[in-house]
Amino acid sequence: MSLESILTNLLQDTDENCYRGGNAIESLKQSPAGCAPLPKVPDPTSTNFVRAKKQKQKETKLGKPKLSKETMFHWSRNLKINADKVTHKVQFMVDAKFGIPGAILVTNKYQKEFYLESIAIEGLVHFACNSWVQPDRFQAEKRIFFSNKAYLPNDTPVGLKELREKELRQLRGNGEGIRTLSDRIYDFDVYNDLGYQDKGAKYVRPILGGKNQPYPRRCRTGRPPTNSDVNAESPVNKYIPKYVPRDEVSEDLKIAALTEGKWKLMLSSIFPSLKEASRNSDVIKSFSDINDLYKESPPFEIKSENEFWEIFSRMLNKMIKESMQDIFMFDRPKIVSRDISSCCLRDDELGRLTLAGMNPLSVERLKVFPPVSKLDPSIYGPQDSALREEHIICHLNGMSVQQALEENKLFILDYHDVYLPFLNRINAHQSRKAYATRTIFLLTHTGSLKPIAIELSLPQKNHNVPSNRVLTPPVDATTCWLWQLGKAHVCSNDVGAHQLIQHWLRTHACQEPFIIAAHRQLSVMHPIYKLLHPHMRYTMDINAEARQILLNAGGVIESRFSTAECSMEVTASAYQNWWRFDMESLPADLIRRGMAVPDATQPHGLKLLIEDYPYANDGLLIWSAIEELVETYVNYYYPKASSIESDSELNAWFYESINVGHADICHASWWPKLSTPKDLISILATIIWVASAQHAAVNFGMYPYGGYFPVRPPFMRRLVPNEHDSDYATFLADPEGFFLASLPCLGEMLHYISLLHILSAHSADEEYLGDRKDLSTWSGDPEIIEAFYKFSMEMRRIEKEIEKGNADSKLRNRCGAGVSPYELLLPSSGPGVTCRGVPNSASI
C-alpha cells in the first residue's frame, strides 16, 4: 500500500535536508550554542513539495517495532520561500500489512535546526511534533515523534515501549556538562546563580536550596563556577547564554511583544528623565510632576535655569505639544483612571483593593486580638503587639472586640513576620526605610473593608524605647498626613509581598519542579502529560529570564523594592515557614486564611465570610470548572485506584517533583498522597489553577493597579516621623513635601512602572484557559473531546457571569462611582495591557 504524509517544517536556504529513519537511538549529544532559531509555523498551507525519508513502526510478535523503508526528501536548490508556512508531501512505500504507524524517526541532515509542527498521514494518523529538530552533525540520535494517541505505560503497544523509555532517558540527560542552546535536557539544580561573587562582596548572594536556605529547585544549566566560589554558578554572558531546553524557549511573537514593549516604554521615560536631569534634586516637588507622566494630563514643561537645558527644553516642549505627546506618556493605570484628583490612597480604596486589586491573596480573617507573632523570641526578641482594644473599640459600631471577632468582622493584612527579620539590613540603606506592618480592617455593613488601625514595627534596639507604634484614622490635619504615610508603608509592604511571595514564589518557583519532573518522567504519550502540557508553556523560560535580570544581585527587584539584597531570602523564608502545596488550591487557601468556611449547602462547598470578595467569587467559578474537567479526564483514564498504583510514570513524576524538586521540605507531613483517582484530581486541579487563574490574578493587574506609585510605592525613603525626631518640624511645616520626599525619586519609578507595563501585557500568541489547540490528540476519545468542549463553553459562561457581577450596584467592591470593575479573571483577552485574561500558563 502507499501512504502519503504531509510534513510541516521550515527551511531557510537551499541546502539539502534529509529525514532518515533507523531502529537504533544513540545517547543525546550536545549541540552548538550558536544554533540559530527559525520562525515557527502554525498549520501547513503552502505547496512546496520535496521528498522525505521516514520510518513507521508497529509491534510484532517478538515485541520489536516494524519499520518501513526509509524515505528521503531533498530541499530544491532553486525553490524560493516567501512564507513562514511550508508543507512537504512525501510518499512511503510499505507492506500492505504494515498497520497503523505509531511513531516516526526523524534525522535532520540540514545545516541548521528547523521547527517541525506536525506530520499527518492523510486519513489515518496525526503526529503533533511541535519541536525543534537539530542537525544530526550536532545531535546524532534520531528524533522520535509518537502519534497523537495517548497511552498509559502499561497500555503502550509492545513495539513502542522501548522507544518510549529511550525518549525519556534522552530528556533526563546525565546531569553533567554545560547545557547548550540546542539541548533538550531537563534536570534539577539549586539557585546558586543569583549572585556574582567575582564582582565583590556586594554581589555575593546565598545559595537557595539546601539545609540552610530551603528552596524549590530550578532547571540545571551546568554553567561553570565563579572563580571565587566553586559552589556558585557564573552568570549568563555573551559566551554562555541563558539555557532552557530548546522547546521551552518563548516563541517569536512573545519575544517580539517584549521587545516592542521595552522600546515603547523607553520612549515613555525619555522626557520625564530629562525633566528630572534638569534639576539639582531627585525629590519630587509636587503631585503634578507625577500626574504629568500619564496620558490625558496637561502637557508638562521642562524648565531650567541652565542655559543648555533651557534651549533643549524649548525644543522638547515644542515636540510634545505639537506632535507626539501620547507616545511619550504612560497609559493611566486603573487606580487613577477614575479619580485623578486624589493623589493619596483613600481608606475605602485601600480596603477595596485588598479584596479586588493586584494582591487579593494576603488578607486574612483576624482570629486573635492582639495579633500574635510566630517568630522565635530567642532570635528576634519579644514580639508583643502594640495594638490594644482602645485603638479600635471606637470604630466597631458598638461591638466589643471579642464580639467583632466572633461575628467575623475583623480582618488583617499581617506583614510583621515577613519583614521584621530583614528590617535591620533594609533600613541600613540610606534610601530604603521600612516597617513590618499590620493593618486591621473592619467589615462594614456594605460588605467593604475599612482600615481602623495600622501597627508599624521595628526591631527591638532599646528596651526603654518602644519598637512599634499604632496609627489610627485621623482626627486632624497632622494625624491625616501621618495616616497617609502609614498607609503608604503598608502598601509598600504589600507590593513586596505580592511580587516576591504571591507572584514569584507561588506561581513561578514552586511550579517549576513539577514541570521539570513532568518532562523527565512522563512520556509525551502519557495522558497526564498531554493534559498538563499547555499549562507548562514558557514557564521555565520566563523563570530563567527572571533569574537573569529581575532576581539577580543588583537586578530590578533588588534595586526597585524595599527588600533590596534580602529579596530572595524573603521568599526562602516564606517557602520554609509558610508555603504548602496542599494549601495551594483556591478552596484550601481561602479556608486557611479564614476567608471561608466549609459549607456543603453552598455551590462550591464553601461559604465566603465576605460575600463580595471579587477574587474569590470569580476564582471559585474557574476552580470548579477546572476541577470538573480534571475529574472527567482522570476518571476516564483511571477508573479505579489500582490503575493509579500501577502507573510507573505517574508515580515517578509525583515522587520526583517532591523528593527532588522540593527536596528540602519533602518530609513534611502535609504533602498529599497519590493513591486514588481523587488524589490525582486534587493534585492536577491545583497545578492547573496556580498556573492559570492564580497567576493571572497576581500578574496582569500589576500595571493597572500598581502603576501609580504614590499609592503603591515599591519602597519608601523615610520612616513616619515621631514628635521627638529631628525632622518632625520639617514634616509639620510641609507635610505634602515630606510625603513626596518619602517616595522614590521620579527616575527610579520610571524604570519601575515601565517594567510593570511590560509584565502586565499579553502577547499576540497567548493561549487562554478553555482554548485547547491540540484536541486532535483525543480524536479517538469523544468523551474527552466533549469534556474540553464543555470546559470551553463554561469559560464563556463564567465570563458573562463576571460581567454581570461588575454591573451589580449592590457589589460595592466591583461596581460604583469611580470604581474599576474587577476583570482580572475574565478568561479571554486581546493583546497588550488589558487587566483581564487567564492564560493557560505562567508565561510572563
Side-chain angles (χ1 to χ4, degrees), residues 29 82 96 101 107 155 167 172 199 230 241 310 314 334 389 397 423 476 510 577 700 748:
K29 294 182 179 180
N82 296 316
T107 299
D155 298 331
E167 170 77 352
R172 292 172 196 145
K199 292 181 68 174
V230 295
E310 185 177 357
R314 280 202 301 267
K334 273 183 177 287
E389 186 170 337
N397 301 325
L423 284 183
D476 55 30
C510 289
N577 300 311
F700 296 104
E748 291 172 314

Side-chain angles (χ1 to χ4, degrees), residues 10 48 114 204 260 337 348 527 580 618 815:
L10 283 177
N48 301 303
F114 63 85
V204 174
E260 180 183 350
S337 61
D348 64 305
R580 291 176 49 163
D618 301 353
C815 182

Side-chain angles (χ1 to χ4, degrees), residues 283-328:
V283 175
I284 300 170
K285 297 299 184 183
S286 68
F287 281 112
S288 64
D289 289 346
I290 299 170
N291 293 333
D292 285 347
L293 299 175
Y294 304 97
K295 294 178 181 178
E296 299 179 22
S297 298
F300 61 79
E301 292 190 1
I302 302 172
K303 299 179 180 180
S304 176
E305 297 177 0
N306 181 283
E307 183 179 357
F308 167 77
W309 280 111
E310 185 177 357
I311 297 172
F312 194 44
S313 64
R314 280 202 301 267
M315 293 168 31
L316 296 180
N317 289 327
K318 189 172 185 294
M319 278 180 59
I320 296 170
K321 292 177 180 178
E322 292 184 356
S323 56
M324 299 183 292
Q325 178 182 342
D326 279 359
I327 295 177
F328 297 99

Side-chain angles (χ1 to χ4, degrees), residues 559-758:
S559 61
R560 297 292 179 261
F561 285 75
S562 63
T563 43
E565 74 276 4
C566 310
S567 297
M568 289 300 284
E569 293 176 68
V570 171
T571 69
S573 175
Y575 177 70
Q576 181 178 12
N577 300 311
W578 178 81
W579 184 84
R580 291 176 49 163
F581 179 80
D582 65 325
M583 294 291 146
E584 288 298 279
S585 72
L586 180 57
D589 174 62
L590 293 171
I591 292 171
R592 179 192 200 185
R593 291 188 284 122
M595 302 302 291
V597 293
D599 187 342
T601 66
Q602 297 295 314
H604 308 287
L606 294 176
K607 178 183 179 182
L608 292 175
L609 299 184
I610 299 179
E611 293 182 6
D612 182 15
Y613 183 5
Y615 163 73
N617 299 132
D618 301 353
L620 284 170
L621 295 174
I622 294 177
W623 165 263
S624 295
I626 291 173
E627 190 176 42
E628 182 178 352
L629 170 67
V630 174
E631 182 178 12
T632 300
Y633 193 91
V634 168
N635 287 335
Y636 180 82
Y637 288 103
Y638 300 94
K640 51 188 178 181
S642 59
S643 55
I644 296 283
E645 297 170 359
S646 63
D647 189 335
S648 57
E649 288 184 7
L650 181 70
N651 284 281
W653 163 68
F654 194 57
Y655 177 88
E656 188 172 71
S657 296
I658 298 172
N659 290 276
V660 181
H662 289 279
D664 304 324
I665 56 173
C666 66
H667 298 298
S669 60
W670 45 257
W671 280 105
K673 306 298 181 184
L674 178 54
S675 302
T676 66
K678 185 177 180 180
D679 296 337
L680 182 58
I681 291 166
S682 176
I683 292 165
L684 296 176
T686 298
I687 291 173
I688 294 172
W689 159 260
V690 172
S692 57
Q694 184 169 308
H695 176 262
V698 297
N699 186 86
F700 296 104
M702 284 194 289
Y703 181 81
Y705 291 111
Y708 190 65
F709 65 90
V711 299
R712 291 195 66 81
F715 66 88
M716 298 289 284
R717 299 204 288 179
R718 289 184 176 182
L719 296 174
V720 179
N722 280 303
E723 290 185 13
H724 303 294
D725 292 343
S726 59
D727 57 355
Y728 193 72
T730 303
F731 162 72
L732 291 178
D734 184 9
E736 180 178 307
F738 190 95
F739 183 92
L740 290 170
S742 300
L743 298 175
C745 71
L746 209 59
E748 291 172 314
M749 287 303 93
L750 287 170
H751 188 204
Y752 171 70
I753 60 180
S754 296
L755 175 71
L756 293 187
H757 198 283
I758 293 171

Side-chain angles (χ1 to χ4, degrees), residues 526-538:
H526 200 291
I528 301 306
Y529 178 91
K530 292 179 180 291
L531 175 67
L532 290 178
H533 186 257
H535 305 290
M536 304 186 291
R537 186 178 185 233
Y538 298 156

Side-chain angles (χ1 to χ4, degrees), residues 31 84 87 97 100 106 172 319 392 765 780:
S31 60
D84 288 341
T87 299
K97 298 180 180 179
I100 298 176
V106 176
R172 292 172 196 145
M319 278 180 59
I392 65 172
D765 68 338

